[in-house]
């Protein structure tokens, strides 16, 4: 039995060695505690998000937290598959057309996956048509659009418009994120929500996922 | 050039030079330029064509210059062009599907290669980084396939640069933009930013700063002589305060303070102070929000020029406004989110904060990337407002804290060495009949090759 509170704190304090040693212990004991360990990691990651929002952690801490979580999930995966619980479902994430930046998107993806989403990452420079097509094919109702450059705003709007043209706008929730995004941009783009920190993205998407259950 | 245009040029030059000479200018200088993609989009010209033929932008650039009262040439040129990147099959400078050149997050150094980098940074660039970043220069392929793209790139780049220069010259002569300062400043790079931007990647360096901290610090020390050499003034006997070595400060605000202070800052501070001891001026773009780091910035040499993005303008002016020259900061988004009256009001409010005491050059927080970022009518209104509202009644009066190079002591600098960089003695040993008259020419070419190879990783 590992102390889940210690694991939670270690993730929150970005103590990589402690986190991985505790996860190894869970797996060495047969993996029965994997679900509990995963939950503790999620809670620890929540602390990381809170500290980021409070200005105590910075982007490099989020990236490092994502790296720790990726390793932890990788180790826990065999045991988690055995006792698969209900996740938060699928969602789409990508950097919009014209923009090649993916650092923010990748941070958010790590956080969303840790929260329980199955993230369909469409990559960078993704056209509105490709996003709509993927949403249709995969029957996804939550769409995360990321961008760093100011030109991303135009593509975000084009993507929202493409959902309208496809007659799917009322079936999807769209959140936009990244450097050029704010309340005014969200309004002009016609998205449902906006975020400049991953914690807010996770909580918004989680609320949508739970609402649609 | 007509006398009127010459008078305009003189007024602009004097105005800006007053800023650099610690004097109050007649009015706040305006530094607004537009990227080729913005000008192309404004005129409905395909940017893909304009990258190859800058002369296509001549007509719209002239039209924009007639309307927009900037003191800097309205045509800003571009840093990345497909001419070089596609010829060399670059993966670090890439055009998006919509035609805009960008630098994606790339890796050309693995975490277990720190020792190799530390042993000979220039050799690491040549042997590891260049082949990984430029697929045409992979030594595993037929060597002629390496040489031909290099020759082609050089020829194409020169052809585009010629057109680019002709366009700039025509605009300068027609509109009286100040002659660019003698380019004596070097190419500024912060050691850790260079390592992050292209070698280890943004995300890679964020992990290294925790996992490989000691190696990272050792590497920053090891690359210092190269970084120093690239950024130092080209002519040390003729250093003036009108040209500067410029830096884009990238990683600083994304790090926690401990990592900033212990890892990012020390080599850059050393570099800036070494340059200050020679009398050089530095300029730097403070990317993102520097509010929490301003006390560190305050420790840098007086007269340094800082442009800024999201740092709180009031706080910046209050803390740094006397010691340094500030520029930029005005939110670009206002151009598309405000009405004309609103933006005029916002410009005046901005000048109320930034203009008092001089030492401020007006500019935006970031460069426009496409024409969608710019409402031209609003841009005209902003520049006109700065001209009319941003005036001083005591031009020429002394202001701010003067720079004093005598308070800076140059650090002990190890000689730059690499198996790919020949000293004059090594060159002579290989080619013994070379006359002494060739010495400066040969050494300049060694330095130019270093600068070229280095800039390919920037």
């Amino acid at each position: 039995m590992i102390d889940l509170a210690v694991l939670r704190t270690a993730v929150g304090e970005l103590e990589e060695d402690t986190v991985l040693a505790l996860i190894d212990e869970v797996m060495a004991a047969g993996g029965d505690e994997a679900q509990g360990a995963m939950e503790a990691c999620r809670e620890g990651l929540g602390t990381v998000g809170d500290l980021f929002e409070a200005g105590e952690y910075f982007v490099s801490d989020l990236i490092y937290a994502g790296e720790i979580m990726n390793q932890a999930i990788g180790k826990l995966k065999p045991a988690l598959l055995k006792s698969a619980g209900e996740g938060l479902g699928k969602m789409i994430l990508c950097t919009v057309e014209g923009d090649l930046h993916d650092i923010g998107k990748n941070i958010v993806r790590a956080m969303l996956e840790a929260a329980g989403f199955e993230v369909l990452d469409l990559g960078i420079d993704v056209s509105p048509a490709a996003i709509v097509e993927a949403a249709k094919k995969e029957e996804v109702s939550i769409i995360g659009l990321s961008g760093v450059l100011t030109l991303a705003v135009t593509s975000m709007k084009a993507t929202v418009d493409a959902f309208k043209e496809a007659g799917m706008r009322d079936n999807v929730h769209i959140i936009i994120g990244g450097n050029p995004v704010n309340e005014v941009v969200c309004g002009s783009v016609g998205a449902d929500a906006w975020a400049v920190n991953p914690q807010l993205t996770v909580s918004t998407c989680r609320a949508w996922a739970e609402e649609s259950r | 050039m007509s006398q009127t245009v010459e008078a305009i040029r003189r007024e602009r030059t004097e105005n800006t030079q007053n800023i650099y000479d610690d004097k109050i200018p007649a009015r706040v200088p305006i530094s607004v330029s537009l990227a080729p993609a913005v000008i192309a989009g404004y005129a409905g010209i395909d940017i893909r064509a304009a990258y190859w033929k800058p002369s296509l932008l001549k007509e719209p650039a002239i039209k924009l210059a007639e309307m927009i009262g900037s003191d800097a040439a309205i045509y800003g040129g571009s840093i990345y062009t497909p001419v070089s990147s596609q010829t060399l099959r670059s993966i670090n400078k890439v055009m998006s599907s919509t035609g805009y050149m960008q630098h994606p997050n790339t890796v050309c150094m693995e975490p277990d290669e720190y020792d190799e980098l530390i042993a000979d940074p220039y050799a690491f660039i040549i042997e590891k980084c260049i082949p990984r970043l430029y697929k045409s220069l992979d030594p595993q392929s037929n060597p002629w396939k390496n040489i031909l793209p290099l020759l082609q790139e050089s020829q194409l780049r020169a052809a585009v640069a010629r057109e680019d220069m002709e366009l700039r010259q025509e605009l300068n002569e027609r509109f009286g933009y100040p002659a660019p300062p003698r380019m004596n400043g070097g190419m500024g790079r912060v050691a850790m930013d260079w390592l992050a931007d292209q070698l280890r990647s943004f995300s890679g360096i964020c992990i290294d700063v925790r996992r490989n901290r000691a190696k990272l610090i050792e590497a920053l020390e090891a690359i210092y002589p190269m970084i120093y050499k690239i950024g130092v003034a080209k002519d040390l006997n003729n250093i003036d305060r009108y040209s500067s070595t410029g830096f884009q400060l990238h990683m600083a605000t994304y790090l926690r303070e401990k990592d900033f202070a212990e890892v990012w800052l020390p080599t850059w501070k050393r570099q800036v102070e070494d340059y200050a001891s020679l009398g050089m001026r530095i300029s730097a773009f403070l990317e993102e929000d520097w509010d929490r780091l301003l006390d560190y910035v305050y420790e840098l040499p007086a007269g340094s020029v800082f442009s800024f993005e999201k740092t709180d303008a009031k706080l910046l002016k209050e803390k740094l406004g006397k010691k340094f020259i500030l520029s930029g900061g005005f939110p670009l988004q206002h151009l598309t989110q405000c009405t004309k009256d609103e933006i005029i009001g916002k410009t005046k409010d901005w000048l109320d904060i930034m203009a008092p005491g001089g030492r401020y050059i007006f500019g935006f927080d970031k460069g426009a990337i496409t024409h969608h970022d710019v409402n031209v009518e609003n841009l005209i209104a902003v520049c006109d407002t700065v001209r009319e509202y941003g005036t001083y009644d005591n031009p020429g009066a002394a202001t701010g804290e003067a720079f004093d190079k005598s308070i800076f002591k140059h650090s002990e600098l190890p000689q730059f060495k690499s198996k790919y960089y020949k000293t004059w003695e090594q060159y002579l040993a290989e080619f013994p009949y070379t006359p002494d008259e060739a010495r400066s020419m040969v050494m300049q070419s060694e330095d130019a090759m270093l600068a070229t190879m280095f800039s390919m990783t920037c």
Side-chain angles (χ1 to χ4, degrees):
Chain A
M1 284 285 283
I2 64 158
D3 187 338
L4 293 176
V6 174
L7 178 58
R8 194 163 46 235
T9 307
V11 172
E13 293 180 357
L14 304 174
E15 297 291 347
E16 184 179 24
D17 293 345
T18 309
V19 173
L20 298 183
L22 288 168
I23 299 291
D24 284 342
E25 216 177 297
V26 168
M27 295 308 287
D32 292 346
E33 276 189 292
Q35 279 294 351
M38 189 61 213
E39 197 45 45
C41 286
R42 279 181 193 148
E43 287 167 9
L45 201 59
T47 308
V48 172
D50 291 343
L51 289 170
F52 178 74
E53 229 175 319
E56 289 182 42
Y57 276 0
F58 301 92
V59 171
S60 68
D61 302 308
L62 294 183
I63 288 175
Y64 190 51
E67 168 73 7
I68 295 172
M69 284 301 286
N70 280 340
Q71 290 184 84
I73 294 170
K75 283 172 185 278
L76 290 170
K77 218 168 207 170
L80 289 173
L81 288 173
K82 272 193 273 173
S83 60
E86 210 180 334
L88 289 170
K90 284 184 195 172
M91 68 168 287
I92 281 175
L93 186 67
C94 65
T95 303
V96 293
E97 186 169 59
D99 199 327
L100 306 179
H101 294 79
D102 61 1
I103 296 164
K105 170 182 74 67
N106 292 344
I107 294 173
V108 172
R109 186 185 67 198
M111 301 275 184
L112 287 165
E113 284 175 344
F117 279 101
E118 183 189 336
V119 178
L120 304 173
D121 186 345
L122 304 183
I124 56 175
D125 197 2
V126 186
S127 70
I131 300 168
V132 171
E133 184 57 34
K136 201 184 289 176
K137 189 175 160 210
E138 300 288 338
E139 297 180 342
V140 172
S141 64
I142 300 177
I143 317 289
L145 304 177
S146 172
V148 166
L149 304 177
T150 49
L151 58 83
V153 173
T154 313
S155 299
M156 287 170 178
K157 183 164 180 4
T159 307
V160 173
D161 291 345
F163 275 105
K164 281 184 196 159
E165 281 159 27
M168 295 166 66
R169 183 63 187 93
D170 294 338
N171 309 331
V172 292
H173 290 293
I174 300 176
I175 182 166
I176 57 172
N179 194 42
V181 164
N182 58 31
E183 185 73 42
V184 179
V185 167
C186 183
S188 69
V189 161
D192 299 305
W194 65 281
V196 285
N197 74 62
Q199 186 74 343
L200 186 57
T201 307
V202 171
S203 59
T204 305
C205 293
R206 182 189 286 128
W208 286 339
E210 284 167 355
E211 175 192 307
S212 65
R213 274 185 177 167
Chain B
M1 193 185 286
S2 76
Q3 273 194 331
T4 320
V5 172
E6 179 57 26
I8 292 170
R9 191 189 63 76
R10 236 188 350 260
E11 186 264 345
R12 282 174 162 155
T13 306
E14 193 182 310
N15 208 39
T16 307
Q17 285 187 347
N18 267 344
I19 297 258
Y20 290 107
D21 290 336
D22 308 321
K23 291 178 190 163
I24 300 277
R27 58 179 179 80
V28 172
I30 305 167
S31 178
V32 172
S33 294
L34 298 174
V38 179
I39 300 174
Y42 168 74
I45 294 168
D46 184 352
I47 179 58
R48 293 176 185 87
Y51 277 135
W52 289 81
K53 280 199 79 61
S55 59
L56 290 173
L57 302 178
K58 183 173 150 183
E59 226 173 276
I62 287 172
K63 194 174 164 198
L64 287 164
E66 280 167 351
M67 296 187 292
I68 299 165
S70 172
D71 297 314
I74 204 71
Y75 170 74
S78 55
I79 308 168
Y80 299 155
T81 75
V83 177
S84 291
S85 59
Q86 79 178 38
T87 309
L88 300 177
R89 295 181 194 280
S90 151
I91 62 160
N92 61 343
K93 292 146 197 167
V94 183
M95 187 189 274
S96 74
S97 62
T98 49
Y100 301 102
M101 294 299 297
Q102 291 163 49
H103 160 52
N105 195 31
T106 49
V107 179
C108 69
M109 173 186 161
E110 297 302 323
D112 59 1
E113 291 180 319
Y114 270 101
D115 285 334
E116 224 175 311
L117 173 75
I118 289 164
D120 187 338
Y122 187 26
F124 191 83
I125 289 176
I126 291 173
E127 292 171 0
K128 293 289 164 70
C129 301
I130 301 279
R132 289 171 183 172
L133 294 174
Y134 298 88
K135 296 302 171 195
S136 292
L137 304 179
D138 179 0
Q140 304 304 323
S141 69
N142 177 339
W144 287 104
K145 283 191 175 170
N146 290 342
I147 291 166
L148 290 176
L150 259 187
L151 291 173
Q152 186 176 37
E153 189 269 345
S154 158
Q155 201 268 336
L156 288 172
R157 185 157 42 91
V160 173
R162 248 193 322 275
E163 275 205 14
D164 182 88
M165 192 49 71
E166 280 166 14
L167 177 53
R168 287 170 194 270
Q169 268 171 1
E170 173 148 3
L171 290 169
N172 286 356
E173 281 170 23
R174 214 162 159 150
F175 294 98
Y177 293 124
R182 199 171 52 95
M183 291 297 285
N184 194 25
M187 178 177 164
R189 280 293 178 279
V190 180
M192 185 168 162
D193 285 350
W194 174 70
L195 209 46
D197 284 348
Q198 305 272 355
L199 275 72
R200 288 291 298 121
S201 81
F202 186 102
S203 28
I205 209 87
C206 291
I207 293 167
D208 291 353
V209 79
R210 300 267 189 163
R211 260 192 211 150
N212 278 333
R213 195 180 188 81
K215 273 287 171 219
L216 173 57
I217 291 172
E218 195 185 336
L220 297 177
E221 285 293 311
I223 62 181
Y224 183 68
M226 178 175 72
I227 291 272
Y228 174 95
K229 193 172 176 56
I230 297 284
V232 76
K234 294 185 189 86
D235 181 358
L236 290 173
N237 296 317
N238 285 298
I239 290 170
D240 70 62
R241 299 283 291 163
Y242 297 128
S243 59
S244 64
T245 289
F247 297 85
Q248 301 274 334
L249 309 184
H250 184 211
M251 292 300 300
T253 57
Y254 303 110
L255 301 169
R256 59 182 172 157
E257 189 168 340
K258 180 180 165 62
D259 297 337
F260 168 81
E262 292 176 9
V263 187
W264 186 92
L265 184 63
T267 35
W268 187 56
K269 197 171 179 206
R270 176 184 175 192
Q271 187 176 8
V272 169
E273 290 182 348
D274 279 351
Y275 291 166
S277 74
L278 303 172
M280 286 171 60
R281 190 195 295 273
I282 66 107
S283 55
F285 173 58
L286 307 177
E287 181 176 322
E288 269 288 321
D289 178 354
W290 279 68
D291 287 3
R292 67 187 168 102
L293 302 172
L294 291 182
D295 289 342
Y296 293 97
V297 180
Y298 187 78
E299 297 300 315
L300 298 169
S304 301
V305 185
F306 294 115
S307 52
F308 65 104
E309 188 181 8
K310 294 181 180 172
T311 308
D312 182 84
K314 266 188 195 152
L315 187 69
L316 189 72
K317 183 72 179 175
E318 186 188 308
K319 282 199 163 186
L320 307 185
K322 285 199 175 70
K323 188 170 178 181
F324 305 104
I325 296 164
L326 303 176
S327 77
F330 190 72
L332 182 75
Q333 284 191 340
H334 286 343
L335 286 180
T336 48
Q337 291 180 355
C338 294
T339 63
K340 189 174 166 185
D341 285 343
E342 281 169 354
I343 207 165
I344 289 172
K346 282 186 187 294
T347 307
K348 287 181 178 174
D349 292 346
W350 183 260
L351 291 171
D352 287 342
I353 298 168
M354 298 307 299
R359 310 215 104 186
Y360 176 65
I361 299 168
F362 181 86
F364 289 95
D365 58 344
K366 48 178 80 68
I369 295 172
T370 80
H371 67 291
H372 296 296
D373 296 331
V374 180
N375 173 330
V376 172
E377 196 191 346
N378 276 355
L379 180 56
I380 295 167
V382 167
C383 293
D384 288 349
T385 305
V386 178
R387 277 182 171 271
E388 288 154 20
Y389 190 78
T391 54
Y392 294 92
D393 52 16
N394 55 342
T399 185
E401 189 179 325
F403 168 72
D404 175 8
K405 82 170 188 176
S406 70
I407 60 176
F408 299 99
K409 191 171 174 289
H410 203 294
S411 68
E412 284 213 16
L413 183 70
Q415 197 191 349
F416 172 71
K417 284 182 185 163
S418 168
K419 66 177 173 181
Y420 288 105
Y421 183 89
K422 290 188 186 78
T423 61
W424 174 241
E425 290 69 29
Q426 287 166 330
Y427 189 89
L428 265 188
E430 203 172 333
F431 306 106
Y433 302 119
T434 319
D436 199 50
E437 284 76 5
R439 181 179 182 143
S440 69
M441 210 192 294
V442 166
M443 292 318 295
Q444 273 173 22
S445 75
E446 287 290 335
D447 288 345
M449 283 191 290
L450 168 65
T452 301
M453 291 291 137
F454 181 83
S455 67
M456 287 174 79
T457 62
C458 292

